[in-house]
Amino acid sequence: MTLLKEPDLGTPAMPGDATVAVEIDGLAVTVPPGTSVLRAAAMVGVEIPKLCATDSLDAFGSCRLCLVEVEGGKGTPASCTTPCADGMKVRTQSPKLEKLRRGVMELYISDHPLDCLTCSANGDCELQDMAGVVGLREVRYGFEGENHLDAPTDSSNPYFDFDASKCIACSRCVRACDEVQGTFALTISGRGFDSTVSAGMDESFLASDCVSCGACVQACPTATLQERSVVELGMPTRSVLTTCAYCGVGCSFKAELRGDQLVRMVPYKDGGANEGHSCVKGRFAFGYASHPDRVLSPMVRDRITDPWCEVSWDEAITHTATRLREIQAEHGPGSIGGITSSRCTNEEVYVVQKMVRAAFGNNNVDTCARVCHSPTGYGLKQTFGTSAGTQDFASVDAADVIVVIGANPTDGHPVFASRMKRRLRQGARLVVVDPRRIDLVRSPHVEAAHHLQLAPGTNVAVINAMAHVVVTEGLGDTDFVAQRCEGYEEWAEFIAREENSPEALAEITGVPAAELRAAARLYAAGPNSAIYYGLGVTEHSQGSTMVMGMANLAMATGNIGRDGVGVNPLRGQNNVQGSCDMGSFPHELPGYRHVSDDNVRAVYEQLWGIPILPEPGLRIPNMFDAALDGTFRALYVQGEDLAQSDPNTQHVTAALSAMDLVVVQDLFLNETAKYAHVFLPGTSFLEKDGTFTNAERRINRVRPVMTARTGKQEWQIVCEVAQAMGYPMRYDDAAAIMDEIALTTPTFAGVSFAHLDEVGSIQWPCTAAAPDGTRIMHESGFTRGKGAFIPTAYVPTKERSTRKYPLILTTGRILSQYNVGAQTRRTANVVWHEEDVLEVHPHDAEVRGITDGDLVDLASRVGRTSLRARISDRQPVGVVYTTFHHPVTGANVVTTEHSDWATNCPEYKVTAVQVALHRSVPAAAAADPGAVLVAGE
Amino acid sequence: MIAPHVRLANDVAAQFAHLPPDTAAERIATHLRMFWDPRMRAQLLSTVDTVDTVDMAAVADGADDLDPLAAAAARLLRTPTPR
């Protein structure tokens, strides 16, 4: 598939029906009102020369190249800024127009380096193209006049250069930063001849607010903003359409190659999730796939203290299967289990859960979603009937009120955040519910109407108080409730109790009652109000309760089942949704169907030829507990770094150490591999063939850009282990696995690789009734029939601050890094985040004698570590904050055993800690945060 | 330190404590059947057996930490799983 250059119609598409008929060079075309002449012309194949126009940006009308003549009109208007009018007749070519365009190009070229043959953009330069299109043959002004040819190059960004000498001041980069990304980091400084693109306040790109999303690079028509990889490797010659492997937005990218060498990743304009936009991770941070740390050969060892020994695939697979069977023979069939990965494809995940159920003969399968969005699975299943967000991302374009709870989209889901910010700039109102003042609270052209800065651990109290306002002030949608829901009376009686009022809860939540009431009224008034949430909701002792609380609020106000509304989880990893869909939970078969359902089990029992246990298996934390009890002895870990990402590291490593066999299937020797006996090297997303499902239930193809560097696809490895254990599990290719998923899972019934290749992407449910998928769920009825109101009593977390641990630690992530950093730490993204730091409020810092940059000890009752302090008032007094991207600081050394009551999702967001200036550390160690990391106290 | 199954059972029980005791016990038991591995339920039953049959002052396996509501729910697990 070659899509190096996508069509560019010059200006954005206009909404609405095509009702305006025009004639362009004698060709008739009918377009929606507001469509530019430039776009209308492109739609009938008439390409008007242009430089400042591109269809991802609003028309600007600065380059004066797209001039046209309109019959009956005066002058030569720019076609990009001229809307079509019914009956309009346009001429795009005439001697006069040609002369004008050549004159414009002469001026541009008179101040441009004439180094086309050696320029990195040679062959992909719109200035070069336009010079040819207008027939430029001479530059009458010469090249000796005042010019910008000596303008400096800014190479501060690790991924792209800004060569000011090649800039034509078309403003496309500035407008891309404003309109597409919404960061407003670039501007045109100076006027007239002195006009230059400037990052920040005349800073370098790196020092400015630039988030390195690449939108400016993509928009640049010349080599002014150019990927360094293109400079070094040359212009790509072919592309493969695939899907990003970072966050749950699931952006579509063109992997552009020169021969077999990946040169760059370019966001795909027709990508359903990203529509041509990207972030610094997906756009640039793919170098980990070829990092020398990657392990490419299988390895085994008898004891975790032994050195690794490289073996053949056959030896590794036979050894793994033999040991698994030996352990089962000695300790019982339930003594082993497996964990699937949200970084792997649906097909890879499906075969792991199948291996556990069919070859292992138990339900001891879980997934890393256990530690992030398992409460979403529980809460939305209980209330709506299925475990998925209700909307697509585009739905936010119709939202009037956006409530962001426990999420930091500009850092965690940046491409969706850009879309959300665009809607906010159009006038939608914003409510942020977060202990920390995230960027969305106040950033260029965005300001939250309300920031409910609640105390960590009091989410349920806040959502109950909002619902209390809706019910007691009569702000609900009674018709929606009456027609679509059940359980309202019991819930309404509960929520209307005085104990749930904002006034009664203000002391607990820290949110002023008047502010909360105003936010609740705003949400109820809508008319379209949407909730977006993240791990700040789920990673609490009442994570599942909070998810149900949000669902209750949405149903009570009728904010379900149409554009602009809904309850939407922002998934952390690329395939959290998919890994959950694929039956990775120990109580559910694919499609969220409980293992106790005889009819569902029968489908798989018949196809797989084995009995399936009707009882749930162990969840990840239960596996650890059982390992320490001695009843759980072997674990197959697909792409999750348990020893870094799971809470209470000492407990995790003790459990791993207690097992007889730990098998790690991963790209790198991660922290968990230190406790492994078998290492099975995995494939990067550039090598995989399969599908990812993003946070909006969108199934996207992941196509192999290169052959598997390990010689095997990961699903093949899993199948071979199962076969070596005596269970026949064979597929011709990944497409055949998806065919089995579709055959057995009603919500995937219409999904196949061929169908995906045909339509691009599909949002499940994909059924006979919805053959191309479902944008918005629960439109006419809930999956479970009627939406269920469920009372959500607030139960305080057991994790409390004490005299010894008086502060509350909460955790999050940063834009440039991803999860435990295994990928992004192996890219130039470390420029933006060399180490995890502890944000401390100025008051808390002052009373402890801590200044910015000091090395501090962070201690909880389960462990302590050290890291540098950053003084910040983003979080209130008494709350400290850090990220978990670097193993050296080991943030999870201090997190505790507390977890969500329903799902065991760890309570990462609330840990009582003490922070103190690190005084006793030797000078050498003081220079190395984490060097004093100690597990347990 | 409190045993994991007791801590988890208490966490579940706390979420249903606002309901009438019999209703709460039934809902807790349903949750345990739906989401707990049988060996964990067996551990809980064993703890409840201790509660029901042994002098609590003499036990040290966490039985005395078990929330009465969780214990009531656990007793319902003695009946076969409704299918």
Side-chain angles (χ1 to χ4, degrees):
Chain A
M1 185 175 297
T2 299
L3 277 166
L4 271 177
K5 278 207 169 184
E6 297 163 72
D8 184 349
L9 303 186
T11 60
M14 290 291 118
D17 296 331
T19 56
V20 179
V22 296
E23 197 177 291
I24 314 275
D25 292 345
L27 299 170
V29 60
T30 306
V31 296
T35 300
S36 72
V37 169
L38 179 67
R39 185 179 180 90
M43 289 167 68
V44 288
V46 175
E47 292 193 10
I48 301 173
K50 60 181 172 57
L51 275 174
C52 73
T54 184
D55 60 13
S56 61
L57 303 173
D58 289 340
F60 196 54
S62 77
C63 77
R64 314 311 295 173
L65 207 58
C66 68
L67 307 178
V68 293
E69 293 171 351
V70 179
E71 189 176 288
K74 291 180 181 176
T76 52
S79 61
C80 64
T81 52
T82 303
C84 292
D86 205 38
M88 180 185 269
K89 292 184 177 178
V90 177
R91 190 156 62 153
T92 72
Q93 293 290 341
S94 73
K96 181 182 177 184
L97 290 171
E98 288 164 10
K99 187 177 178 184
L100 284 169
R101 288 176 188 148
R102 268 199 301 274
V104 169
M105 284 305 299
E106 264 187 285
L107 287 166
Y108 275 124
I109 298 299
S110 70
D111 187 12
H112 195 81
L114 297 178
D115 61 351
C116 290
L117 291 180
T118 55
C119 178
S120 60
N122 189 19
D124 188 30
C125 172
E126 294 183 39
L127 188 69
Q128 187 183 43
D129 293 345
M130 290 305 110
V133 166
V134 304
L136 186 67
R137 297 292 178 266
E138 61 173 343
V139 176
R140 291 168 293 165
Y141 311 109
F143 302 95
E144 307 307 319
E146 194 176 357
N147 58 53
H148 299 87
L149 301 186
D150 293 329
T153 296
D154 178 348
S155 297
S156 61
N157 186 288
Y159 296 117
F160 61 83
D161 295 330
F162 172 67
D163 180 352
S165 73
K166 293 179 175 173
C167 180
I168 60 171
C170 65
S171 289
R172 273 165 66 162
C173 56
V174 176
R175 290 182 286 141
C177 191
D178 297 354
E179 297 173 26
V180 178
Q181 166 57 29
T183 293
F184 297 85
L186 304 180
T187 190
I188 298 285
S189 62
R191 304 188 67 176
F193 184 79
D194 294 329
S195 298
T196 55
V197 171
S198 172
M201 302 296 284
D202 275 332
E203 300 160 286
S204 69
F205 270 73
L206 189 64
S208 74
D209 288 340
C210 167
V211 293
S212 198
C213 67
C216 57
V217 178
Q218 191 167 349
C220 181
T222 69
T224 308
L225 284 155
Q226 183 72 286
E227 296 96 340
R228 203 163 293 156
S229 60
V230 172
V231 176
E232 292 167 358
L233 301 170
M235 197 55 71
T237 55
R238 66 187 179 96
S239 71
V240 177
L241 193 56
T242 190
T243 304
C244 180
Y246 281 117
C247 79
V249 176
C251 296
S252 295
F253 275 90
K254 293 181 296 175
E256 296 194 346
L257 300 103
R258 185 176 180 84
D260 292 333
Q261 173 80 53
L262 179 61
V263 177
R264 64 181 175 186
M265 300 289 285
V266 178
Y268 182 46
K269 272 167 48 170
D270 280 347
N274 57 317
E275 296 179 352
H277 192 35
S278 61
C279 78
V280 63
K281 294 188 284 286
R283 182 71 153 88
F284 297 115
F286 53 84
Y288 69 88
S290 53
H291 194 279
D293 284 355
R294 264 193 74 179
V295 178
L296 301 175
S297 300
M299 301 189 297
V300 300
R301 58 185 175 182
D302 290 333
R303 292 177 296 274
I304 61 174
T305 50
D306 292 343
W308 285 106
C309 179
E310 277 192 20
V311 295
S312 69
W313 274 114
D314 282 349
E315 287 174 283
I317 286 164
T318 302
H319 176 78
T320 301
T322 303
R323 289 291 296 127
L324 287 169
R325 282 291 186 236
E326 286 173 353
I327 291 165
Q328 282 190 304
E330 187 173 352
H331 300 284
S335 62
I336 68 174
I339 296 174
T340 72
S341 173
S342 295
R343 297 180 201 175
C344 290
T345 64
N346 288 319
E347 295 72 19
E348 290 166 336
V349 166
Y350 181 86
V351 293
V352 169
Q353 65 86 30
K354 180 175 176 179
M355 173 177 72
V356 171
R357 294 195 159 103
F360 293 8
N362 61 49
N363 284 317
N364 293 333
V365 60
D366 207 357
T367 181
C368 49
R370 175 65 54 206
V371 299
C372 64
H373 267 290
S374 53
T376 290
Y378 180 89
L380 296 184
K381 178 81 183 279
Q382 297 291 314
T383 48
F384 296 161
T386 195
S387 304
T390 58
Q391 313 294 117
D392 64 356
F393 290 142
S395 166
V396 79
D397 297 344
D400 301 301
V401 178
I402 299 169
V403 182
V404 177
I405 308 178
N408 187 4
T410 55
D411 283 45
H413 306 85
V415 171
F416 174 66
S418 291
R419 186 190 276 271
M420 180 186 284
K421 287 197 290 187
R422 189 164 63 229
R423 182 60 185 160
L424 292 169
R425 292 198 300 275
Q426 291 169 347
R429 308 291 301 281
L430 173 66
V431 177
V432 173
V433 183
D434 202 299
R436 189 166 171 268
R437 192 181 69 245
I438 59 173
D439 283 352
L440 269 182
V441 172
R442 186 176 168 80
S443 59
H445 301 281
V446 168
E447 184 165 16
H450 304 284
H451 176 203
L452 308 186
Q453 197 165 19
L454 74 177
T458 63
N459 282 336
V460 171
V462 166
I463 208 74
N464 281 354
M466 289 182 73
H468 177 91
V469 174
V470 167
V471 169
T472 57
E473 295 188 10
L475 306 177
D477 185 337
T478 51
D479 289 344
F480 182 91
V481 168
Q483 292 165 18
R484 301 281 307 272
C485 305
E486 62 188 17
Y488 178 78
E489 296 303 325
E490 182 194 356
W491 174 78
E493 183 279 322
F494 159 78
I495 210 72
R497 293 176 195 166
E498 180 55 25
E499 70 203 46
N500 289 318
S501 72
E503 291 72 18
L505 291 167
E507 193 173 341
I508 293 168
T509 64
V511 178
E515 183 85 7
L516 193 143
R517 281 189 180 275
R521 289 167 188 153
L522 180 64
Y523 176 82
N528 287 339
S529 297
I531 294 173
Y532 293 88
Y533 71 94
L535 304 183
V537 160
T538 55
E539 291 176 343
H540 285 277
S541 63
Q542 281 201 293
S544 292
T545 312
M546 179 60 181
V547 173
M548 294 189 292
M550 295 185 302
N552 290 336
L553 182 64
M555 289 189 291
T557 52
N559 279 306
I560 292 290
R562 64 179 187 278
D563 246 335
V565 300
V567 179
N568 304 284
L570 296 173
R571 308 282 189 167
Q573 300 194 60
N574 48 315
N575 202 32
V576 173
Q577 181 70 56
S579 69
C580 298
D581 298 343
M582 291 298 103
S584 293
F585 288 132
H587 65 284
E588 285 173 337
L589 288 156
Y592 304 103
R593 293 166 297 168
H594 202 272
V595 292
S596 63
D597 187 321
D598 294 341
N599 294 328
V600 175
R601 279 201 326 284
V603 170
Y604 293 94
E605 288 173 339
Q606 188 173 2
L607 186 69
W608 295 351
I610 45 89
I612 295 174
L613 295 181
E615 298 276 9
L618 293 168
R619 303 179 282 206
I620 292 173
N622 312 145
M623 292 178 188
F624 294 150
D625 292 334
L628 292 169
D629 277 351
T631 62
F632 189 78
R633 314 291 295 216
L635 183 62
Y636 189 103
V637 187
Q638 178 192 40
E640 184 187 358
D641 195 356
L642 298 162
Q644 190 183 344
S645 64
D646 285 37
N648 194 353
T649 306
Q650 185 192 24
H651 180 71
V652 173
T653 56
L656 291 171
S657 302
M659 293 185 205
D660 298 327
L661 178 70
V662 175
V663 181
V664 168
Q665 187 174 14
D666 213 301
L667 297 180
F668 303 104
L669 281 171
N670 56 21
E671 296 300 301
T672 306
K674 292 176 180 172
Y675 304 89
H677 307 83
V678 177
F679 186 87
L680 303 175
T683 51
S684 77
F685 80 110
L686 297 171
E687 299 147 59
K688 292 183 188 297
D689 187 10
T691 56
F692 291 150
T693 307
N694 75 355
E696 47 173 4
R697 299 169 276 104
R698 185 183 302 279
I699 307 163
N700 265 316
R701 281 282 280 121
V702 184
R703 297 184 177 88
V705 175
M706 56 189 71
T707 54
R709 297 182 67 202
T710 58
K712 280 184 190 291
Q713 289 287 334
E714 289 193 42
W715 61 263
Q716 290 177 305
I717 299 164
V718 175
C719 288
E720 289 175 20
V721 170
Q723 284 163 206
M725 292 180 75
Y727 178 75
M729 198 158 107
R730 292 184 179 84
Y731 298 94
D732 290 338
D733 49 31
I737 302 173
M738 178 52 81
D739 290 344
E740 182 172 313
I741 295 165
L743 179 70
T744 54
T745 312
T747 47
F748 278 67
V751 181
S752 69
F753 281 20
H755 192 25
L756 286 165
D757 290 343
E758 180 189 345
V759 300
S761 63
I762 297 170
Q763 291 176 266
W764 67 259
C766 177
T767 61
D772 287 337
T774 307
R775 269 193 66 219
I776 295 170
M777 297 197 72
H778 318 304
E779 281 186 304
S780 55
F782 286 92
T783 303
R784 68 181 300 281
K786 293 212 167 188
F789 280 96
I790 297 175
T792 52
Y794 168 62
V795 178
T797 174
K798 292 175 184 167
E799 186 72 8
R800 311 280 172 83
S801 56
T802 63
R803 180 175 292 182
K804 190 173 181 183
Y805 302 107
L807 304 172
I808 293 295
L809 169 72
T810 191
T811 61
R813 62 186 68 198
I814 197 166
L815 169 66
S816 63
Q817 296 294 316
Y818 175 68
N819 211 274
V820 296
Q823 291 136 291
T824 44
R825 280 186 286 106
R826 291 180 170 94
T827 70
N829 278 27
V830 291
V831 165
W832 289 282
H833 189 73
E834 289 180 310
E835 58 183 321
D836 293 320
V837 298
L838 184 72
E839 289 187 11
V840 185
H841 189 278
H843 174 81
D844 294 324
E846 186 174 348
V847 298
R848 289 166 175 78
I850 295 168
T851 58
D852 201 77
D854 281 345
L855 190 64
V856 296
D857 282 343
L858 172 69
S860 75
R861 61 186 164 76
V862 302
R864 66 188 171 95
T865 185
S866 66
L867 64 174
R868 297 201 183 281
R870 176 181 294 158
I871 309 305
S872 166
D873 64 358
R874 279 179 179 263
Q875 58 286 325
V877 174
V879 178
V880 293
Y881 168 87
T882 191
T883 49
F884 58 99
H885 302 305
H886 288 265
V888 69
T889 33
N892 282 324
V893 170
V894 300
T895 51
T896 71
E897 75 283 2
H898 290 313
S899 66
D900 173 48
W901 66 273
T903 66
N904 277 153
C905 180
E907 190 175 45
Y908 290 114
K909 301 298 184 183
V910 186
T911 305
V913 295
Q914 178 58 293
V915 178
L917 195 60
H918 189 77
R919 296 179 188 282
S920 58
V921 65
D928 180 11
V932 291
L933 183 153
V934 177
E937 267 201 338
Chain B
M1 185 170 158
I2 190 167
H5 67 276
V6 173
R7 173 168 49 78
L8 292 174
N10 289 349
D11 287 347
V12 176
Q15 304 301 318
F16 295 93
H18 64 285
L19 297 172
D22 288 350
T23 306
E26 278 182 23
R27 294 200 187 173
I28 296 164
T30 299
H31 179 86
L32 301 181
R33 285 193 185 100
M34 293 285 283
F35 297 101
W36 280 33
D37 178 88
R39 83 187 74 177
M40 293 170 63
R41 299 205 300 265
Q43 285 177 316
L44 188 61
L45 275 173
S46 172
T47 300
V48 172
D49 287 343
T50 305
V51 171
D52 291 347
T53 58
V54 179
D55 174 9
M56 293 304 298
V59 301
D61 70 345
D64 52 343
D65 293 318
L66 188 63
D67 185 297
L69 198 51
R75 288 183 192 102
L76 298 177
L77 298 177
R78 287 175 178 147
T79 58
T81 305
R83 296 285 297 280

